Amino acid sequence: MTATITTFEARMAPCGRHLPGEQFVSEDLQGLVTEDLRFECGCQTHREEYHDGSVHHLVVNHHGKVMVDEEFRGE
């Protein structure tokens, strides 16, 4: 398993503000990839791509409100 943490420059957060933050990426070398973006305001995006190509995408604003929670099935 590999994991990296990097900072990113200001970009559009789920709340509509342009803010910097941190990006967390992990990969299990068998196809599972997880990416988390955490903005300074507290907004977060979470994306998991599974071994079969399925993707789960979750977006939460800094108030804790889920803005997007979707899953796409792979084959």
Side-chain angles (χ1 to χ4, degrees), residues 32-51:
L32 175 65
V33 178
T34 302
E35 177 186 36
D36 289 306
L37 298 178
R38 298 181 186 165
F39 294 84
E40 283 187 353
C41 62
C43 289
Q44 298 181 33
T45 66
H46 179 75
R47 182 178 183 276
E48 289 180 309
E49 185 172 338
Y50 298 94
H51 305 95

Side-chain angles (χ1 to χ4, degrees), residues 1-22:
M1 177 174 236
T2 61
T4 58
I5 300 172
T6 56
T7 58
F8 59 83
E9 303 228 356
R11 63 173 78 166
M12 182 77 73
C15 65
R17 297 166 47 192
H18 281 78
L19 298 165
E22 292 183 318

Side-chain angles (χ1 to χ4, degrees), residues 13-33:
C15 65
R17 297 166 47 192
H18 281 78
L19 298 165
E22 292 183 318
Q23 177 183 32
F24 302 84
V25 178
S26 65
E27 184 175 353
D28 74 355
L29 304 178
Q30 295 178 8
L32 175 65
V33 178

